[in-house]
């Protein structure tokens, strides 16, 4: 499991980044990731990345609604990433 790389508060979300987006050839917000994400934090989004030449998708970042606060957002993002990558 990747560790948290960076936590940034943006307009509507707290962006919890696990991996550098430059590592990936393609980044998506897949619909199937919505269920595990919403089971932890309603309204959250998961961005998945795929490196060139690989079939493996990895969690690049998780966006948690801003009202949660940075500390709790980081905890929730780790829980979401664990659910998806386990």
């Amino acid at each position: 499991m990747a560790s948290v790389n960076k936590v940034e508060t943006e307009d509507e979300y707290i962006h919890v980044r696990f991996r550098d987006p430059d590592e990936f050839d393609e980044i998506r917000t897949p619909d199937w990731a919505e269920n595990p994400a919403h089971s932890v934090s309603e309204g959250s989004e998961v961005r998945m990345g795929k490196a060139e030449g690989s079939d493996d998708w990895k969690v690049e970042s998780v966006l948690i609604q801003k009202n949660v606060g940075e500390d709790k957002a980081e905890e929730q993002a780790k829980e979401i990433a664990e659910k998806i990558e386990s």
Side-chain angles (χ1 to χ4, degrees):
M1 177 67 234
S3 58
V4 172
N5 198 350
K6 194 179 206 182
V7 178
E8 297 175 300
T9 299
E10 297 177 354
D11 294 338
E12 297 174 36
Y13 291 100
I14 296 169
H15 196 149
V16 182
R17 188 178 310 282
F18 290 92
R19 295 178 175 91
D20 186 339
D22 293 338
E23 288 179 34
F24 302 107
D25 189 42
E26 192 175 343
I27 294 178
R28 292 186 184 165
T29 305
D31 291 339
W32 61 263
E34 192 173 292
N35 287 339
H38 287 192
S39 73
V40 174
S41 184
E42 190 63 39
S44 58
E45 291 184 15
V46 179
R47 292 190 178 154
M48 304 287 292
K50 185 175 87 149
E52 188 173 351
S54 173
D55 291 333
D56 295 335
W57 287 87
K58 296 180 180 176
V59 175
E60 183 269 322
S61 61
V62 177
L63 280 68
I64 305 285
Q65 292 203 340
K66 191 175 180 177
N67 63 336
V68 169
E70 284 193 2
D71 290 339
K72 192 165 184 183
E74 188 172 338
E75 284 175 34
Q76 289 179 348
K78 285 180 186 175
E79 189 176 338
I80 291 167
E82 279 179 29
K83 281 185 171 212
I84 290 172
E85 293 192 344
S86 61

